[in-house]
Amino acid sequence: MRTANSKNTKKKYNLNIELMGETKCDEDFASLIEISKKLNIPYHTISDVYEDRRQSFKRFNECPYFPKISITKISKC
């Protein structure tokens, strides 16, 4: 059990942002909250993107100026 206010440091999620065919971000994070803080996007939106529930992002997939954001869980070795 972790103590109160302790932070998880093990990297669990990979964030990949692609804009116009160029990778803008390919980083690993310990939590979805860290990703939401980095992108300045609400946590519930990041959670929806991770769970593939964010349909509003999908309708812009063909637009070249809209970033493609994908969040994947890093598999255990």
Side-chain angles (χ1 to χ4, degrees):
M1 183 186 301
R2 293 188 308 176
T3 59
N5 297 325
S6 66
K7 248 184 142 176
N8 189 4
T9 58
K10 184 178 178 183
K11 306 294 183 184
K12 295 180 185 175
Y13 301 97
N14 177 266
L15 170 67
N16 190 334
I17 301 175
E18 189 177 305
L19 179 63
M20 297 174 55
E22 184 179 332
T23 300
K24 297 294 183 182
C25 180
D26 188 10
E27 295 181 41
D28 294 339
F29 293 89
S31 68
L32 295 175
I33 292 172
E34 285 184 11
I35 294 173
S36 72
K37 288 179 182 177
K38 165 115 175 132
L39 299 180
N40 198 21
I41 296 176
Y43 170 77
H44 69 274
T45 304
I46 295 297
S47 175
D48 288 347
V49 170
Y50 172 68
E51 294 289 337
D52 203 25
R53 292 185 301 231
R54 197 65 178 181
Q55 301 302 321
S56 61
F57 282 1
K58 290 183 180 180
R59 65 184 161 160
F60 296 111
N61 279 346
E62 301 304 318
C63 180
Y65 302 108
F66 193 78
K68 291 173 178 48
I69 301 172
S70 65
I71 302 169
T72 54
K73 189 155 188 152
I74 299 172
S75 61
K76 294 181 181 180
C77 297

